[in-house]
Amino acid sequence: MMKTFADKIISFNKNISYKGGLPDKVSIMNPFKENREALRISSLFYKKFYDDHNKRHIIFGINPGRFGAGITGVPFTDTKRLLSECGIEFPGKSTHEPSATFVYEVINQYGGVKKFYNDFYIQSLCPLGFTITNAAGKEINYNYYDSNELTDCVYAFILANIKKQISFGISTNVCFLFGTGKNARFFKKINDEFHFFKKVIPLEHPRFIMQYKAKSKDIYLKKYIDAFSEANG
């Protein structure tokens, strides 16, 4: 029997691992290996919304953060949204992630979770996250582009995982990026070389909007909805 979109994602999550080097004080974050609930909960999510053979457009974030996908295994979905919007309970501590708040406002404006996830698949350019120990000895989120050394280390890993995910059944006429700065510049360079997608549309990152542009949030909600309507136009 042919694998569904959900089956392909779940298999991808089960098997994903990073075996390359890392700069000093940087650690890899793999929720599917480190958090026993992440694989189970994310699998429930994907079976609920992706258990079909439909083609979808991909949206690339940066890399998973500790309180969103780092906990739930689902990009831009914290435990609060997992329950309130997706109807999936997460045992343990409730987490709140500002990016998830904005993304689910977009999803609701688009027409709700069923409609949105029928049309889109959200992932991160680097599907595993990173943390770094800061000067105070605290572990904080770190992005793949925060140092040239880390970018060089994970470049082949990122490339391989873009190719794998396109094979799930991704439409290649247009893709979307969360992040108009370094994330967009990095991916556009890759896309210019490998021609994965005919068009790339960067959008301001949800965390940037919530942190710095909250008063103008409605402008960005409209921008997102207008951009996503282009995918199906």
Side-chain angles (χ1 to χ4, degrees):
M1 191 169 150
M2 197 169 144
K3 281 186 173 183
T4 65
F5 204 115
D7 295 332
K8 293 172 188 175
I9 302 169
I10 293 164
S11 175
F12 176 81
N13 289 342
K14 271 183 189 171
N15 294 299
I16 193 165
S17 64
Y18 177 72
K19 297 181 172 65
L22 290 169
D24 188 36
K25 296 185 181 177
V26 175
S27 301
I28 197 86
M29 182 174 61
N30 185 339
F32 307 109
K33 297 280 193 291
E34 297 158 13
N35 169 6
R36 64 182 183 181
E37 286 298 328
L39 185 62
R40 183 182 73 83
I41 292 293
S42 62
S43 298
L44 287 174
F45 172 87
Y46 290 117
K47 286 302 262 184
K48 182 170 184 175
F49 295 110
Y50 290 81
D51 204 24
D52 53 52
H53 300 97
N54 300 343
K55 276 203 163 238
R56 290 172 170 87
H57 290 92
I58 197 164
I59 302 166
F60 285 118
I62 299 166
N63 40 242
R66 290 174 302 150
F67 301 116
I71 300 287
T72 64
V74 181
F76 293 93
T77 302
D78 56 15
T79 64
K80 282 185 181 178
R81 255 49 60 172
L82 195 67
L83 178 59
S84 65
E85 304 294 335
C86 305
I88 298 171
E89 288 191 38
F90 188 94
K93 189 179 175 183
S94 176
T95 61
H96 172 82
E97 219 283 324
S99 292
T101 305
F102 180 79
V103 166
Y104 276 86
E105 284 191 47
V106 172
I107 288 170
N108 286 328
Q109 283 211 12
Y110 186 81
V113 287
K114 286 186 180 177
K115 185 174 190 300
F116 184 84
Y117 288 129
N118 185 65
D119 293 341
F120 296 97
Y121 167 58
I122 304 180
Q123 186 46 274
S124 297
L125 267 186
C126 187
L128 296 181
F130 305 96
T131 59
I132 192 168
T133 307
N134 67 12
K138 186 183 177 186
E139 199 172 41
I140 58 172
N141 283 333
Y142 201 64
N143 296 320
Y144 74 83
Y145 56 60
D146 282 339
S147 76
N148 290 335
E149 189 183 354
L150 179 57
T151 306
D152 291 344
C153 285
V154 298
Y155 180 85
F157 176 72
I158 289 173
L159 204 60
N161 286 299
I162 291 169
K163 291 174 183 174
K164 280 180 193 173
Q165 291 175 102
I166 288 173
S167 73
F168 294 173
I170 295 296
S171 296
T172 56
N173 63 320
V174 60
C175 84
F176 301 88
L177 290 176
F178 287 168
T180 55
K182 291 178 180 178
N183 201 41
R185 286 195 294 274
F186 176 82
F187 182 69
K188 282 184 171 182
K189 193 173 176 183
I190 285 179
N191 198 59
D192 286 346
E193 183 176 351
F194 294 96
H195 307 289
F196 291 129
F197 300 95
K198 289 177 186 171
K199 186 174 183 180
V200 177
I201 300 178
L203 295 160
E204 284 78 7
H205 196 280
R207 185 165 193 88
F208 169 80
I209 295 166
M210 295 299 283
Q211 195 165 348
Y212 300 108
K213 301 289 183 181
K215 289 181 180 176
S216 311
K217 189 175 64 173
D218 288 348
I219 293 169
Y220 291 98
L221 283 168
K222 184 178 186 308
K223 184 175 180 180
Y224 267 60
I225 296 298
D226 288 348
F228 292 153
S229 66
E230 189 173 325
N232 302 308

